[in-house]
Amino acid sequence: MQLKIMPKKKHFSAGRVPLILFLCQMISALDVPLDSKLLGDLVQPPTITQQSPKDYIIDPRENIVIQCEAKGKPPPSFSWTRNGTHFDIDKDPLVTMKPGSGTLVINIMSEGKAETYEGVYQCTARNERGAAISNNIVVRPSRSPLWTKERLEPITLRNGQSLVLPCRPPIGLPPAIIFWMDNSFQRLPQSERVSQGLNGDLYFSNVLPEDTREDYICYARFNHTQTIQQKQPISLKVISVDELNDTIAANLNDTEFYGAKPSKERPPTFLTPEGNESLKEELRGNVLSLECIAEGLPTPIIYWIKEDGTLPVNRTFYQNFKKTLQITQVSEADSGNYQCIAKNTLGAVHHTISVTVKAAPYWISAPQNLVLSPGENGTLICRANGNPKPRIGWLTNGVPVEIAPDDPSRKIDGDTIIFSNVQERSSAVYQCNASNEYGYLLANAFVNVLAEPPRILTSANILYQVIANRPALLDCAFFGSPLPTIEWFKGTKGSALHEDIYVLHDNGTLEIPVAQKDSTGTYTCVARNKLGMAKNEVHLEIKDPTRIIKQPEYAVVQRGSKVSFECKVKHDNTLIPTIMWLKDNGELPNDERFSVDKDHLVVTDVSDDDGGMYTCAANTTLDSVSASAVLRVVAPTPTPAPVYDVPNPPFDLELTNQLDKSVQLTWTPGDDNNSPITKFIIEYEDAMHEAGIWHHQAEVSGTQTTAQLTLSPYVNYSFRVMAENSIGRSVPSEASEQYLTKAAEPDQNPMTVEGLGTEPDNLVITWKPLNGFESNGPGLQYKVSWRQKDGDDEWTSVVVANVSKYIVSGTPTFVPYLIKVQALNDVGFAPEPAAVMGHSGEDLPMVAPGNVRVNVVNSTLAEVHWDPVPLKSVRGHLQGYRIYYWKAQSSSKRNRRHIEKKILTFQGNKTHGMLPGLQPYSHYVLNVRVVNGKGEGPASTDRGFHTPEGVPSAPSSLKIVNPTLDSLTLEWDPPSHPNGVLTEYTLRYQPINSTHELGPLVDLKIPANKTRWTLNHLNFSTRYKFYFYAQTSVGSGSQITEEAITTVDEAGILPPDVGAGKAMASRQVDIATQGWFIGLMCAVALLILILLIVCFIRRNKGGKYPVKEKEDAHADPEIQPMKEDDGTFGEYSDAEDHKPLKKGSRTPSDRTVKKEDSDDSLVDYGEGVNGQFNEDGSFIGQYSGKKEKEPAEGNESSEAPSPVNAMNSFV
């Protein structure tokens, strides 16, 4: 059952429903359906459902059937009038009425004549609620009379004359259809010269000899009786001029002969209509037919125009070689003057037809049935138009209202009847009659006053299955009086559906325009009026759409080869698709070369006939999809090598299913360039907030060509797609059309909300603002709220612009606060944010740590303890405790040097800490301070402590002075860091012979108060190595080393470093004058010359010194072989126990050896660059990148070697 309220849809709106229903009751008509469940106890006035036409032409050879069918409850009874008086069918044995119907059957087949029953009939259907009447049905039998007999004389005309052959058919009912034929029943040919007029006559604009014939026959066909009547044949003879002269010559004299010319050429004249003007009247809605037929020689051509206007487009047609103009569905606007123009080479003639369009009555608003409840109001409106204006008359139950019983609830106002406060007795059937001289209209409309509670006529628990993203229509046919209101609910405890995504139709149907998966569920329809309530449940299931994920592709194959089309279908698991392959939209050829296997269509031995379009169609019970591809068959050609490349970009991007927060993007893949596409990458641009910047949106597999994209509100989206295969990624596609999503409230709040004070009396609330994409709408602002964490204060809030900071002033110092920052825009607020904790500004701590205690662990390490300060006195975040400590100095040193204080910070709430790296045998002072975010608090009372003795550092320097033949004198400076009281020095030394072997080691103890010591009874001209260190009561310190040589015959010693200075002068004997010395020098010179020659030869041959020599430059002094000072090449020693001298450690000319120059120093590895150490002593220096010098230059003096040096090099 359908309940028609209004022709348009309406959306759910709680406030508007009652008003709309009231207006519907006032102006709308309710059609009570003939539903078996409803009609069991529901009364309804009669309604005429079927009747014969107003002008009813019957076949006199058959029984007469006059139809009249009606519905109503109780079933109506029927009666008839004939020619305005009661027609008593019981008195006529030939007339019967069908059971349960008002249809009359008049049996004239057995006896009786049809003419006897001609007349005007009207049917009345009546029950206790009123009476409905039919139209006046004019019954007339059809007639097909014969032509009257007449004698038709033969017609003889001269060539070129005009002619009209009359038809004048008998008047039949309905009018006959006219056509001209010959004795063989062949239609006579017609043309611009010869044609049939609307009246049936045959017109010749000019006759020709070939028109001569004796069987021009006019036929009249009466379709109603399926009969054809024939006129007597007409004979026509057309003679030429020569024939006419021969005829005259046989009967007349020579003076009466015709000239040689045929009939003269003449301008057109009209055969029909006559004169220059005529009138034509037609009824609205009919076909207007205007005719102009002209004669003339040559044959005229007809043209049509409308004065002061144009002929209507799409409704104008030409018949009979443009001699007839027809305008369909004619209306009053088609009235006016029409001109037909006949023209030939000799002139033109025109005729004006003045057309007037009249109109039988037609409906503007026919009255509609009214179903009202007691006490309600309503109206019946009957509006019609026509030309002339029709008269409106009202009847009630078939009786004119003027003489019908009075009804106080009824008031007639022209074409409107107004009902107010109706009661059950007001039920009736009203007839509206609109008539003018061209016809009439009659309409029945009942007023049925009912008091019925709501009823739902839709079956319960109907299961609807709908494809996702398509509309879902859930039926709820209902009835009730007063008109019930309809509400829909989802689920068992759901609220009424008022969202925009639902549409409620006037017949109760619930429409979900775009059904989604979450639309699945049980829906309840509830109908209510003041008399009760009814409800019904239906169920909705949403199915996944059937999609072709791999479409057949365009193929070009060679004749005789094989081709395969692939069609992969994805469907809902609960639906079973049927796959069908078509060729050119028809069935596949019945050929064994065509085989279908699951997802593929394979065609073997392809021929030229196999070319065409192949379509894969997938159908389920709910939807269907198809995809096509073209097969082109070509002659065999050499196959070029495939070209592999990145895919071509996708194209034809299209946005569909555009919703507030989602959209479906569809595209067409580009060529994969012989490497299958593995995936598509979708990017978007936000033209509103970040124009020109593309962001990643989604990725789908290479078999998909659609993607359902989730969108954010208030974003002006454009999309582009890139394809990717094993070669790489395509260039982006062209951007899709832009899609601006609707604004919505923010769905998230700012991140990184913090509350930190910058001053003791403020709270600075900061947050990371939302970007334009996250704002979801215009007018982005923030609601900042705060209150003390431990207090009972209410939240204080303020709305600020799109900023990232707000400062709360006048706060207590370092108090915890709860803070919330909520985003909002012009649409609304974001979800309630979670509160975070912050603190107002910090101030410096007020209290110093107490009870500071020091425990000395060893000479370099001490442990400090203290009592923590109260947390309230910190007045901020406790970051830790800081120890200031420094080495106490005497008053004299304090004046010369600034006291260097060291600082150690201990994180957190610690109460002790270790002080490493202290100087042994020292007095230190320290204090402790608490630290917060603002700074340090006051210092504790200074606390002093002493470190015990430790081992000393190496002596500051060691020098060897006054060398003699058998003695060496050592001078030194005490350690820079004695780390205690020195008890003694230890000197250890040993000789080194010419083979680099070390001699016995001698230990010597030296008092601590000495800074100079002489060693006697040493071997002359001998190199010694010395090890020297200091001692305290704790132990020995680091040693310092040096090497020196006793002199030869009182001569000066050789400086340990080449270039450090010349040899010392002889003290007594000038050995340069000794003979043995001169001979020795000559031998040495000769040997040097030989070595230089060998060196020169080796250099010229590209020889290089052994790499070992370069390594020796940085070797440990304990294992490095000695290299001679005069430039000779040193040898490697295999004896691990030998300790040769290190060239770089020889004593300089000033005999000063610093501790950094000892053989334990790492400075030598850097070629003079001081090494760097971490605080823990680890070496962090780097080797120098400087190259070693050539042997003749490196580490040697630029001066020539002295004789003493030469002697020493061989010792």
Side-chain angles (χ1 to χ4, degrees), residues 175-365:
I177 297 173
I178 306 301
F179 50 93
W180 288 80
M181 293 193 296
D182 57 17
N183 278 329
S184 301
F185 295 100
Q186 299 296 318
R187 285 185 178 271
L188 296 177
Q190 298 190 21
S191 64
E192 291 181 344
R193 184 178 64 85
V194 181
S195 61
Q196 175 184 316
L198 294 176
N199 61 357
D201 294 348
L202 189 63
Y203 292 86
F204 295 79
S205 295
N206 50 76
V207 295
L208 297 176
E210 56 262 32
D211 296 330
T212 299
R213 64 189 312 147
E214 296 181 351
D215 56 352
Y216 283 94
I217 305 174
C218 180
Y219 289 88
R221 184 176 68 202
F222 297 92
N223 284 341
H224 211 76
T225 57
Q226 297 295 310
T227 58
I228 297 178
Q229 304 292 349
Q230 172 183 339
K231 185 182 176 74
Q232 292 294 323
I234 301 175
S235 175
L236 171 64
K237 183 177 181 181
V238 179
I239 58 176
S240 64
V241 174
D242 293 337
E243 291 176 326
L244 186 61
N245 284 335
D246 292 341
T247 302
I248 295 175
N251 300 287
L252 300 175
N253 56 39
D254 294 343
T255 59
E256 295 182 2
F257 279 30
Y258 281 91
K261 292 185 177 180
S263 295
K264 290 179 59 178
E265 293 184 348
R266 59 190 182 277
T269 58
F270 284 110
L271 297 175
T272 184
E274 298 178 352
N276 295 328
E277 296 180 351
S278 61
L279 300 176
K280 176 70 175 180
E281 187 176 281
E282 191 57 78
L283 290 182
R284 180 181 184 271
N286 290 348
V287 177
L288 172 65
S289 296
L290 303 179
E291 181 181 56
C292 283
I293 301 177
E295 63 88 16
L297 189 66
T299 301
I301 298 176
I302 304 297
Y303 301 92
W304 291 90
I305 60 172
K306 182 181 181 183
E307 297 178 2
D308 301 326
T310 58
L311 297 174
V313 181
N314 301 326
R315 293 193 295 115
T316 300
F317 303 93
Y318 297 99
Q319 305 289 339
N320 198 18
F321 308 100
K322 294 192 72 172
K323 298 175 185 178
T324 302
L325 169 68
Q326 287 187 337
I327 299 177
T328 60
Q329 292 294 318
V330 69
S331 66
E332 290 85 343
D334 296 318
S335 298
N337 293 329
Y338 293 80
Q339 273 195 8
C340 61
I341 302 169
K343 182 184 295 185
N344 67 8
T345 56
L346 299 182
V349 63
H350 70 271
H351 181 92
T352 300
I353 304 175
S354 180
V355 175
T356 302
V357 178
K358 299 292 185 176
Y362 57 90
W363 290 119
I364 296 176
S365 176

Side-chain angles (χ1 to χ4, degrees), residues 701-719:
S701 68
T703 59
Q704 290 186 229
T705 57
T706 61
Q708 193 74 22
L709 305 178
T710 302
L711 308 180
S712 294
Y714 199 57
V715 177
N716 197 6
Y717 281 97
S718 293
F719 299 97

